[in-house]
Amino acid sequence: MPRNRQTVGVGLIGSGFMGRCHANAFSAVAGLFDVPVKPVKTILADATVDLAVEGANALGFERATSDWQELVNDEAVDIVAITAPNVFHEPIALGAIAAGNTVYCEKPLSTTVESALKMTLAAEATGVVTSVGFNFLRNPMIKLAREIIGSGEIGKITGFRGRHAENYMASSDAPHSFRTEPAGGGALADIGSHIISIGRFLLGPVTAVFGDCTTIHTSRPIALGTMERRPVEVDDMTLALLKFENGASGSIEANWAATGRTMDLSFEITGTKGAISFTQERMNELHLYSTGGRCSGFTKIESGPEHPPYGQFCPAPGHQLGFNDLKVIEVAELLEAHATGKSCSVDFREALQIQEIVEAIAASSRSGKWLRV
Amino acid sequence: MPRNRQTVGVGLIGSGFMGRCHANAFSAVAGLFDVPVKPVKTILADATVDLAVEGANALGFERATSDWQELVNDEAVDIVAITAPNVFHEPIALGAIAAGNTVYCEKPLSTTVESALKMTLAAEATGVVTSVGFNFLRNPMIKLAREIIGSGEIGKITGFRGRHAENYMASSDAPHSFRTEPAGGGALADIGSHIISIGRFLLGPVTAVFGDCTTIHTSRPIALGTMERRPVEVDDMTLALLKFENGASGSIEANWAATGRTMDLSFEITGTKGAISFTQERMNELHLYSTGGRCSGFTKIESGPEHPPYGQFCPAPGHQLGFNDLKVIEVAELLEAHATGKSCSVDFREALQIQEIVEAIAASSRSGKWLRV
Amino acid sequence: MPRNRQTVGVGLIGSGFMGRCHANAFSAVAGLFDVPVKPVKTILADATVDLAVEGANALGFERATSDWQELVNDEAVDIVAITAPNVFHEPIALGAIAAGNTVYCEKPLSTTVESALKMTLAAEATGVVTSVGFNFLRNPMIKLAREIIGSGEIGKITGFRGRHAENYMASSDAPHSFRTEPAGGGALADIGSHIISIGRFLLGPVTAVFGDCTTIHTSRPIALGTMERRPVEVDDMTLALLKFENGASGSIEANWAATGRTMDLSFEITGTKGAISFTQERMNELHLYSTGGRCSGFTKIESGPEHPPYGQFCPAPGHQLGFNDLKVIEVAELLEAHATGKSCSVDFREALQIQEIVEAIAASSRSGKWLRV
Amino acid sequence: MPRNRQTVGVGLIGSGFMGRCHANAFSAVAGLFDVPVKPVKTILADATVDLAVEGANALGFERATSDWQELVNDEAVDIVAITAPNVFHEPIALGAIAAGNTVYCEKPLSTTVESALKMTLAAEATGVVTSVGFNFLRNPMIKLAREIIGSGEIGKITGFRGRHAENYMASSDAPHSFRTEPAGGGALADIGSHIISIGRFLLGPVTAVFGDCTTIHTSRPIALGTMERRPVEVDDMTLALLKFENGASGSIEANWAATGRTMDLSFEITGTKGAISFTQERMNELHLYSTGGRCSGFTKIESGPEHPPYGQFCPAPGHQLGFNDLKVIEVAELLEAHATGKSCSVDFREALQIQEIVEAIAASSRSGKWLRV
């Protein structure tokens, strides 16, 4: 039974892949979730007026602008969604916070811990609701993993074996981009942050790290389609060892040159009484081993209505959620938080802490020593 | 670059699971596909005014009605989407066709071949665009399978081993519903039609069938939560052998009492030079064996942008599509057909032919003999 | 603690692949199992003296002969192992039985039901111990499947979905051999018999069959390396429907032209409370679904010491058994039966009944009607 | 065509699990491989005369002794196989070397690098053939992996992600044994050595290591069935980062408290043009990704006769090798080396180098710094 819903105005900055993804999630959420407020796609901002108008038209926004400051200060805007390049996250977020808006920012929160800290403090000072787009955490299977761990079913956690491996930079001819900028770039920051966010979500705080960052391709073309190359200053692959506050030890790998892997965001978590294994490549499955069972092997748990909010999307198991559904779940949580003032599960503070781990791993790699976080 | 799009009015009948699914697809399609016309959710009809108003509010329709005849005849409605119970498909579709609307009907087309034929002839007489919701065919992996077969890569097709197995009626306490009505009910009609639709889509016409229909639970509760039971007149499991026009032999199983299976809509297709294997339980993967390769095993092909229209949803492989995305693809094809007059891949004629195979299998089971289709 | 063991003399006829396989099993068994009698490799017979001498030397037999009659009548021989071509099974077995030997015969028992019946009656008249080499049944995982079914854990069995698919005759240039002889040849007899033996072992008697036998390649070279071809009179692929005495319905496929499959001897067994799935391609795993569990998926059970006689081979799970180990298990059972007079799990009578099903399926295919078995 | 084979006498020390495994391999090898010399099981030594006699009887040795010195000096013994506890490896091996025997020693070579070095130098001084039982390397799939890497098919190797995880010490009630002795014990030495041996076999020398050794259960019962506990001084889990001479970076995990894992001796090797993935839990499969292919996924290569020496065991793919077959392959190589003087692939020198890496990882863990090897 839907509540009598008020509307909230959404201002979106950026209309690239993640911009479209946000827009679609705002379109779909009210038909799938019983959200307390109903989003209205109010203004879209992009780098130029032409881009903005085109984006607004394609994505169903009422108005368009090339001036994000106009957007964040517009009366009709309640929620500001930031999918602009990483270097713009800080100024836009600070502007949106100053205007009292709820802020929904794509990951990483910013390009440096220093910048991310400034954003976090500003948000906390004003008390606005914040959310950062670590969408993989929205998967009901990840939530189920957390519940299983929390219930004690697999005992005390002893090990975490994580990985985020993709192949989109595997070729030495994959060109430079914002992803290879020294500030905030590299495989560790770009995708390692996902597996770190999962480690924290499931096991809690990390207390120490040891890192080994490697640049596999030491030069890349300056742009697509050119022969001219310049040196690479960021990592293609990072291996790291972790210590968790709960006593577990672990390792992670962040690798964007992992030939053959499209989305091996995966982990195995070992406890004294069981284990959990997962890969995003089969995101509708969680594999559970529990010593309480009579059998010696892992059980494939298939995503279904018993794993909320799967049931918002499909009435029966086996149908399967897709990537875009994760974003809808993220937006549903955002709207709930906006209406109630509750925190989002990845707010600016949490995103800051993920980024601190990223920087500590990189610093450890330079020093060759364990670093406390 | 989006075309300058006109709008089309959508009237939806029914607001249950499939109704929501249609509504969401109409909401999402214009943000994801460059569709020639943009759908407007105009009227929602349901059994009572209260249900209709509530559904229209939840799903974002402008108006509500308890009278589907009013809906199909409304000036503002161009496309009629039918998700009402199967027994209403015929009268609603005939009404919508008479009013000149494009008709988008959930499967099965109707409860009998006779009724489905009447609907098909009416549609063909007026020339309206029709589409039937065999959504699993919309999966880019299924389309890829068809392309591989068409290219000759796996040689002449010799075998088709298909199955649609779920467990939603596995308990003898799963109650009667419209699914167990003698007219149009049973596992063969309900889910066997999906694997038949895939067989036809990939291998072409079926020329002969031999069926064996079994009722596993001979009585079921008359409704959920009651002890009173009445006999079951439909099949829980059907096994059938098929002959295809292209010379291949095959078998299918339709089983809604398949304990342990949530969505094993699966097949293995064998050719003289290769083979293809698929299950909906891992809908973002197609497994291909090709004798041209150096290796003796199957290759896991992961769904990605090179398999249209995956790229409309996600920019890179590994992200994965979900069930609801299949419905969006179906609606995108419908809008293209509506605008251009092209046929949809499952129009009333194709759905009728699927239903003819369903009835032939059931008749063969009764006679114990092969039946020509 | 080994018993004080007597020795038994083994006479082996044939030194091809299966002959080597038998010889190795007789060599290994006493070091792995606490067998009541210890086999001595006494005489090897083959088609010529040269072949026999070479085989005896390679496989460690004391003597060699080209005359199987000499072998079966030799005082020192207690067990006769027959791996000669199928057409010789009957005369050799009858000779061995007449001499009072235990007889260990490779499958199929013979080329026709009539011949197999004659062998069975002869064995039963004299009371000699017999065993037929359906080695896949020796897998501890198959034994476990039988125990699970017998315990009632997966409820009343409703469905059997079996297959034996390989690719060794997939090419139309794979030549004729004894396997394509009209008497006793074809995919159904050659490999279909394996999946039938598993069906009987796990579910019990088959009461009716419906078959569809297909010849995919209508001619083949008369021998390897020649262009000359002659027509094929046997099936490459057989699909069949089965009715079991316990009320279950099922289907099987026997296919030796299954491009891409090396040993898909597989089944899924569905019960009202659970399901079991297996493939010989991963012979150390059994997948079990049980509604008593908290999870919606299959559990991978890995072969281990808790599944006898795995522990005779390896002390811990994960090490894995291989094909040749199955033959050792078969020989261990044979020696136990030889010493105690107990029946082997596949004796001549059981092998005869498997063959009766094979012939009934073929006859049903010709008549287009269900046949009682 | 077998060569005219001479015999060699085998003396085996120890009749526990690995002793039986050796005995069976010596029994089976001549029937499966065309070995240049044929082993005769001459003497078995064990801790007491009773144990030795019983073992000799069970495993088919001609004589028994409780004095290994008698065994190594016996005229009839050519090959000494050592499966005694690790602390006896050095004295026995030195005695066998002094007597001029070929020495076949179970892993680890010894309890310390110092001891292993002494053994290696002694063997090299006399020139006897040596082999150490790293049996997992004998898998044809591992050999295939090496060939693929050597061929350049997957390009320059950039990453190695290895693991050996089992659960046999996962319970805190699993008692102390020789495996938990400070000298030579712990998960790293016991099973980490396997994944290190694979790393070296496939990628070549390791140049630097960083280790993190963890004791999960800080006390264990002093023996099975007692409540009395004493502290544990060895690691249950070790995580390590590696640098290879070929430029690749990698990580390994050795974990004998990995609840849910029976034999996850696994790796993924990433190259600039492809990747290879393997786990011993499915030891008859190698998964290969090659950018030369048209597909985006891994291909499952099934073990078959095209991967020597698989064909010595089974004539067709799909049958599968088991653990005990690996030992037969190891013994076949040993006999070839014995007859020709060629090196075995893991001789004392290679085993010493594996052990040096083990000790370097442990030392690095204590120092918190990278160590050169």
Side-chain angles (χ1 to χ4, degrees):
Chain A
M1 188 62 52
R3 319 174 207 178
N4 188 3
R5 296 180 293 190
Q6 291 186 295
T7 58
V8 288
V10 176
L12 171 66
I13 298 153
S15 60
F17 165 60
M18 284 313 301
R20 283 177 64 203
C21 200
H22 279 224
N24 290 322
F26 281 112
S27 298
V29 68
L32 294 166
F33 283 78
D34 178 20
V35 285
V37 291
K38 200 166 166 175
V40 175
K41 291 179 289 182
T42 304
I43 316 183
L44 185 134
D46 212 327
T48 67
V49 172
D50 283 357
L51 279 172
V53 168
E54 184 183 316
N57 188 36
L59 302 176
F61 280 76
E62 294 169 355
R63 290 183 271 149
T65 178
S66 63
D67 179 1
W68 62 259
Q69 283 172 305
E70 184 188 316
L71 181 150
V72 301
N73 290 302
D74 192 289
E75 284 282 300
V77 168
D78 303 294
I79 296 175
V80 173
I82 308 173
T83 68
N86 300 344
V87 291
F88 296 114
H89 288 191
E90 182 189 321
I92 297 173
L94 293 179
I97 291 165
N101 293 305
T102 284
V103 187
Y104 174 30
C105 184
E106 262 315 299
K107 50 116 335 218
L109 183 49
S110 193
T111 53
T112 64
V113 163
E114 187 187 0
S115 166
L117 178 60
K118 195 189 297 182
M119 294 161 75
T120 302
L121 294 176
E124 290 176 352
T126 58
V128 301
V129 166
T130 58
S131 179
V132 184
F134 283 92
N135 32 251
F136 297 113
L137 293 179
R138 303 293 155 246
N139 189 337
M141 294 290 95
I142 302 296
K143 209 175 147 199
L144 175 62
R146 181 146 111 155
E147 286 166 10
I148 290 169
I149 292 169
S151 75
E153 178 173 358
I154 63 168
K156 181 175 150 49
I157 304 306
T158 59
F160 178 79
R161 180 172 175 76
R163 188 187 202 199
H164 193 148
E166 299 197 37
N167 63 358
Y168 57 94
M169 297 293 279
S171 165
S172 69
D173 291 334
H176 279 286
S177 74
F178 75 92
R179 296 179 197 275
T180 58
E181 287 303 306
L188 172 60
D190 192 29
I191 56 178
S193 53
H194 283 300
I195 188 63
I196 292 169
S197 77
I198 288 177
R200 279 182 57 87
F201 186 70
L202 297 180
L203 272 70
V206 171
T207 56
V209 299
F210 182 87
D212 178 34
C213 304
T214 302
T215 304
I216 292 171
H217 300 303
T218 51
S219 75
R220 292 183 179 278
I222 58 170
L224 200 60
T226 174
M227 303 282 287
E228 192 186 341
R229 303 176 76 89
R230 73 177 157 81
V232 173
E233 296 174 58
V234 297
D235 66 303
D236 291 318
M237 164 168 62
T238 287
L239 306 174
L241 307 181
L242 309 179
K243 297 288 180 185
F244 289 87
E245 196 175 279
N246 70 0
S249 292
S251 69
I252 59 165
E253 173 181 352
N255 192 340
W256 65 20
T259 316
R261 290 294 174 191
T262 54
M263 186 59 87
D264 190 24
L265 173 56
S266 63
F267 58 81
E268 182 164 322
I269 293 172
T270 305
T272 52
K273 296 183 184 167
I276 292 171
S277 135
F278 172 84
T279 175
Q280 177 70 14
E281 290 183 357
R282 287 174 171 168
M283 62 173 269
N284 286 278
E285 301 175 12
L286 189 74
H287 294 256
L288 169 66
Y289 177 92
S290 180
T291 52
R294 62 182 285 286
C295 299
S296 64
F298 281 83
T299 295
K300 182 177 86 162
I301 303 177
E302 295 182 64
S303 201
E306 66 273 37
H307 311 123
Y310 179 99
Q312 304 301 128
F313 295 89
C314 305
H319 287 71
Q320 309 203 20
L321 302 189
F323 175 82
N324 286 337
D325 298 328
L326 303 181
K327 217 66 192 175
V328 175
I329 299 172
E330 191 167 88
V331 163
E333 189 203 57
L334 177 76
L335 297 179
E336 189 72 29
H338 177 85
T340 63
K342 280 194 286 194
S343 296
C344 289
S345 41
V346 185
D347 57 12
F348 278 15
R349 173 62 60 178
E350 175 63 17
L352 168 65
Q353 288 173 311
I354 293 166
Q355 201 149 345
E356 284 171 347
I357 296 172
V358 166
E359 288 205 2
I361 290 171
S364 161
S365 177
R366 289 188 296 268
S367 72
K369 291 187 190 149
W370 283 96
L371 272 191
R372 300 245 128 230
V373 179
Chain B
M1 187 59 53
R3 319 176 208 175
N4 187 3
R5 295 181 293 188
Q6 291 186 296
T7 60
V8 288
V10 176
L12 171 66
I13 297 153
S15 60
F17 164 60
M18 285 312 304
R20 284 177 64 203
C21 200
H22 280 224
N24 292 322
F26 282 112
S27 297
V29 68
L32 294 164
F33 283 78
D34 179 21
V35 285
V37 292
K38 199 166 168 175
V40 174
K41 291 179 289 182
T42 305
I43 315 183
L44 184 133
D46 212 326
T48 67
V49 170
D50 283 357
L51 280 172
V53 168
E54 184 184 316
N57 189 32
L59 302 176
F61 281 76
E62 295 169 356
R63 287 182 273 149
T65 178
S66 63
D67 180 1
W68 62 259
Q69 284 172 305
E70 186 189 313
L71 181 150
V72 302
N73 290 301
D74 194 288
E75 284 281 300
V77 168
D78 303 294
I79 295 176
V80 174
I82 307 173
T83 70
N86 299 344
V87 291
F88 296 114
H89 288 192
E90 181 189 321
I92 297 173
L94 293 180
I97 290 165
N101 294 305
T102 283
V103 188
Y104 174 30
C105 185
E106 261 315 298
K107 52 110 344 214
L109 183 49
S110 194
T111 54
T112 63
V113 163
E114 187 188 359
S115 167
L117 177 60
K118 196 190 295 182
M119 293 161 74
T120 302
L121 294 177
E124 291 176 353
T126 59
V128 300
V129 166
T130 59
S131 179
V132 184
F134 284 91
N135 32 252
F136 297 114
L137 293 179
R138 302 294 157 245
N139 188 335
M141 294 290 95
I142 302 296
K143 209 175 147 200
L144 175 62
R146 182 146 108 157
E147 287 167 10
I148 290 169
I149 293 168
S151 75
E153 177 174 357
I154 63 168
K156 181 175 150 48
I157 304 307
T158 59
F160 178 79
R161 181 172 174 77
R163 189 187 200 199
H164 193 149
E166 300 197 37
N167 63 358
Y168 57 94
M169 297 294 278
S171 166
S172 68
D173 291 334
H176 279 287
S177 74
F178 75 91
R179 296 178 197 276
T180 58
E181 287 302 307
L188 172 61
D190 192 30
I191 55 178
S193 53
H194 283 300
I195 188 62
I196 292 168
S197 77
I198 288 176
R200 279 182 56 89
F201 186 70
L202 297 181
L203 272 71
V206 171
T207 55
V209 299
F210 182 87
D212 178 33
C213 303
T214 303
T215 303
I216 292 171
H217 300 303
T218 51
S219 76
R220 294 182 178 277
I222 59 170
L224 200 61
T226 176
M227 302 281 288
E228 195 186 340
R229 302 176 76 89
R230 72 178 158 82
V232 173
E233 297 175 57
V234 298
D235 65 304
D236 291 317
M237 165 170 60
T238 287
L239 306 174
L241 307 182
L242 309 179
K243 298 288 181 185
F244 288 88
E245 197 175 278
N246 70 1
S249 291
S251 69
I252 59 165
E253 174 181 352
N255 193 340
W256 66 20
T259 316
R261 290 294 175 192
T262 54
M263 186 58 89
D264 190 25
L265 173 56
S266 62
F267 58 80
E268 182 164 321
I269 293 171
T270 305
T272 51
K273 296 184 185 167
I276 292 170
S277 136
F278 171 85
T279 174
Q280 177 71 14
E281 291 183 357
R282 289 175 171 167
M283 62 173 270
N284 286 278
E285 301 174 13
L286 189 74
H287 294 256
L288 169 66
Y289 177 91
S290 181
T291 51
R294 61 182 285 286
C295 299
S296 64
F298 280 83
T299 295
K300 182 176 85 160
I301 303 177
E302 295 182 65
S303 200
E306 67 273 37
H307 311 123
Y310 179 99
Q312 304 302 127
F313 295 89
C314 305
H319 287 70
Q320 308 203 22
L321 302 189
F323 174 82
N324 286 337
D325 299 329
L326 302 182
K327 218 66 192 176
V328 176
I329 300 173
E330 191 166 272
V331 163
E333 189 203 58
L334 177 76
L335 297 178
E336 187 74 29
H338 177 85
T340 63
K342 279 194 286 194
S343 296
C344 289
S345 41
V346 185
D347 57 11
F348 279 15
R349 174 62 59 178
E350 174 64 16
L352 167 66
Q353 287 174 312
I354 293 166
Q355 201 149 343
E356 284 171 347
I357 295 172
V358 166
E359 289 205 1
I361 290 171
S364 159
S365 177
R366 289 187 297 270
S367 73
K369 290 186 191 149
W370 282 96
L371 272 191
R372 300 245 128 230
V373 179
Chain C
M1 188 61 51
R3 319 173 207 178
N4 187 2
R5 295 179 294 187
Q6 293 186 294
T7 59
V8 288
V10 175
L12 171 66
I13 298 152
S15 59
F17 164 60
M18 283 314 301
R20 284 177 63 203
C21 199
H22 280 225
N24 291 322
F26 281 111
S27 298
V29 68
L32 294 165
F33 282 78
D34 179 21
V35 284
V37 291
K38 201 166 166 175
V40 175
K41 291 178 290 182
T42 305
I43 316 184
L44 185 133
D46 213 326
T48 67
V49 171
D50 282 357
L51 279 172
V53 168
E54 183 183 317
N57 189 34
L59 301 176
F61 280 76
E62 295 169 356
R63 288 183 273 149
T65 178
S66 64
D67 180 1
W68 64 259
Q69 283 172 306
E70 186 188 313
L71 181 151
V72 302
N73 290 303
D74 193 288
E75 284 282 299
V77 167
D78 303 295
I79 295 176
V80 174
I82 308 173
T83 69
N86 300 344
V87 291
F88 296 114
H89 288 192
E90 182 190 320
I92 296 173
L94 293 180
I97 290 165
N101 294 304
T102 284
V103 188
Y104 175 29
C105 184
E106 261 315 299
K107 53 122 321 228
L109 183 49
S110 193
T111 54
T112 64
V113 163
E114 188 187 359
S115 166
L117 178 59
K118 195 189 295 182
M119 294 162 74
T120 301
L121 293 177
E124 290 176 353
T126 60
V128 301
V129 166
T130 58
S131 179
V132 184
F134 283 93
N135 33 251
F136 297 114
L137 292 180
R138 303 293 156 245
N139 189 335
M141 294 290 95
I142 302 296
K143 209 176 147 200
L144 175 62
R146 183 147 107 156
E147 286 166 11
I148 290 169
I149 292 169
S151 74
E153 179 174 357
I154 63 168
K156 182 175 150 47
I157 304 306
T158 59
F160 178 79
R161 180 171 176 78
R163 190 187 199 198
H164 193 148
E166 300 197 37
N167 64 359
Y168 56 95
M169 297 293 278
S171 166
S172 69
D173 291 333
H176 279 287
S177 74
F178 74 92
R179 296 178 198 277
T180 57
E181 287 303 306
L188 172 61
D190 191 31
I191 55 177
S193 53
H194 283 300
I195 188 63
I196 292 169
S197 77
I198 288 177
R200 278 182 57 88
F201 186 70
L202 297 180
L203 272 70
V206 171
T207 55
V209 299
F210 182 86
D212 178 33
C213 304
T214 303
T215 304
I216 292 171
H217 299 303
T218 51
S219 76
R220 292 183 179 277
I222 58 171
L224 201 61
T226 174
M227 301 283 286
E228 194 186 340
R229 303 175 78 89
R230 73 176 157 81
V232 173
E233 296 175 58
V234 298
D235 65 303
D236 290 316
M237 165 169 62
T238 287
L239 306 173
L241 307 182
L242 309 178
K243 296 289 179 184
F244 289 88
E245 197 175 277
N246 70 0
S249 292
S251 68
I252 59 165
E253 174 180 351
N255 193 340
W256 67 19
T259 315
R261 289 294 174 191
T262 54
M263 187 58 87
D264 190 24
L265 173 56
S266 62
F267 58 81
E268 181 163 323
I269 293 172
T270 305
T272 52
K273 296 183 185 167
I276 291 171
S277 134
F278 172 84
T279 175
Q280 176 70 15
E281 290 183 358
R282 288 174 171 168
M283 62 172 270
N284 286 277
E285 302 174 12
L286 188 74
H287 294 256
L288 169 67
Y289 177 92
S290 180
T291 52
R294 62 182 283 288
C295 298
S296 64
F298 281 83
T299 295
K300 183 177 85 160
I301 302 178
E302 294 181 65
S303 202
E306 67 273 37
H307 311 122
Y310 178 99
Q312 305 301 127
F313 295 89
C314 305
H319 287 71
Q320 308 205 20
L321 302 188
F323 175 82
N324 286 337
D325 299 328
L326 302 182
K327 217 68 191 174
V328 175
I329 300 172
E330 191 167 88
V331 163
E333 190 204 58
L334 177 76
L335 297 179
E336 189 73 30
H338 177 84
T340 63
K342 279 194 286 194
S343 297
C344 289
S345 43
V346 184
D347 57 12
F348 279 16
R349 173 63 58 179
E350 174 63 18
L352 167 66
Q353 288 174 312
I354 293 166
Q355 201 149 345
E356 284 171 348
I357 296 172
V358 166
E359 289 206 2
I361 290 171
S364 160
S365 177
R366 290 188 296 271
S367 74
K369 290 186 190 151
W370 283 95
L371 272 192
R372 299 246 127 227
V373 178
Chain D
M1 188 59 51
R3 318 174 208 178
N4 187 4
R5 295 181 293 188
Q6 292 186 295
T7 60
V8 289
V10 175
L12 172 65
I13 298 153
S15 60
F17 164 60
M18 283 314 300
R20 284 177 66 204
C21 200
H22 279 225
N24 291 322
F26 281 112
S27 297
V29 67
L32 294 166
F33 282 78
D34 178 20
V35 284
V37 291
K38 199 167 168 174
V40 174
K41 291 180 289 183
T42 305
I43 316 184
L44 184 134
D46 212 326
T48 67
V49 171
D50 283 357
L51 279 172
V53 169
E54 184 183 316
N57 190 32
L59 301 177
F61 280 77
E62 295 169 357
R63 289 183 273 150
T65 178
S66 64
D67 179 1
W68 62 259
Q69 283 171 307
E70 186 188 313
L71 181 150
V72 301
N73 291 302
D74 193 287
E75 284 282 301
V77 167
D78 303 295
I79 295 175
V80 174
I82 308 173
T83 69
N86 299 344
V87 291
F88 296 113
H89 288 191
E90 181 189 321
I92 297 174
L94 293 179
I97 291 166
N101 293 304
T102 283
V103 188
Y104 174 29
C105 185
E106 260 316 298
K107 53 113 337 218
L109 184 49
S110 194
T111 54
T112 63
V113 162
E114 188 188 0
S115 166
L117 177 61
K118 195 189 297 181
M119 294 162 75
T120 302
L121 293 176
E124 291 176 352
T126 59
V128 301
V129 166
T130 58
S131 179
V132 184
F134 283 93
N135 33 252
F136 297 113
L137 292 179
R138 302 292 156 247
N139 188 336
M141 294 290 95
I142 303 295
K143 208 174 149 200
L144 175 62
R146 182 146 107 156
E147 286 166 10
I148 291 169
I149 293 168
S151 76
E153 178 174 357
I154 63 168
K156 180 175 151 48
I157 304 307
T158 58
F160 177 78
R161 181 173 175 76
R163 189 187 199 200
H164 193 150
E166 299 198 36
N167 63 357
Y168 57 95
M169 298 293 278
S171 166
S172 68
D173 291 334
H176 279 286
S177 74
F178 74 90
R179 296 180 198 275
T180 58
E181 288 302 307
L188 172 61
D190 192 30
I191 55 178
S193 53
H194 283 301
I195 188 63
I196 292 168
S197 78
I198 288 176
R200 279 182 56 89
F201 186 71
L202 297 181
L203 272 68
V206 171
T207 55
V209 299
F210 182 88
D212 178 33
C213 303
T214 302
T215 304
I216 291 171
H217 300 303
T218 52
S219 77
R220 292 182 179 277
I222 59 170
L224 200 60
T226 176
M227 302 280 289
E228 194 186 339
R229 302 176 76 91
R230 72 176 157 82
V232 174
E233 297 175 57
V234 298
D235 65 304
D236 291 317
M237 165 168 64
T238 286
L239 305 174
L241 307 182
L242 309 179
K243 297 288 179 184
F244 290 88
E245 197 174 279
N246 71 1
S249 292
S251 69
I252 60 165
E253 174 181 351
N255 193 340
W256 67 19
T259 316
R261 289 293 174 192
T262 54
M263 187 58 88
D264 190 25
L265 172 56
S266 62
F267 58 81
E268 181 163 323
I269 293 171
T270 305
T272 50
K273 294 182 187 169
I276 291 171
S277 136
F278 172 86
T279 174
Q280 177 70 13
E281 291 183 358
R282 288 176 170 166
M283 62 173 268
N284 286 278
E285 301 175 11
L286 188 75
H287 293 256
L288 168 66
Y289 177 91
S290 180
T291 51
R294 61 182 286 286
C295 298
S296 63
F298 281 82
T299 295
K300 183 177 85 161
I301 303 178
E302 295 182 65
S303 201
E306 66 273 36
H307 311 123
Y310 178 100
Q312 304 302 126
F313 296 88
C314 305
H319 287 70
Q320 308 203 22
L321 302 189
F323 175 81
N324 286 336
D325 298 329
L326 303 181
K327 217 67 191 173
V328 175
I329 300 173
E330 192 166 88
V331 163
E333 190 202 57
L334 177 76
L335 297 177
E336 188 73 30
H338 178 86
T340 62
K342 278 194 288 194
S343 296
C344 289
S345 41
V346 184
D347 57 12
F348 279 14
R349 173 63 60 179
E350 174 64 15
L352 167 66
Q353 288 173 311
I354 292 166
Q355 202 149 344
E356 285 171 346
I357 296 172
V358 166
E359 288 204 3
I361 290 171
S364 159
S365 178
R366 290 188 296 271
S367 73
K369 291 186 189 151
W370 282 96
L371 273 191
R372 298 248 129 228
V373 179

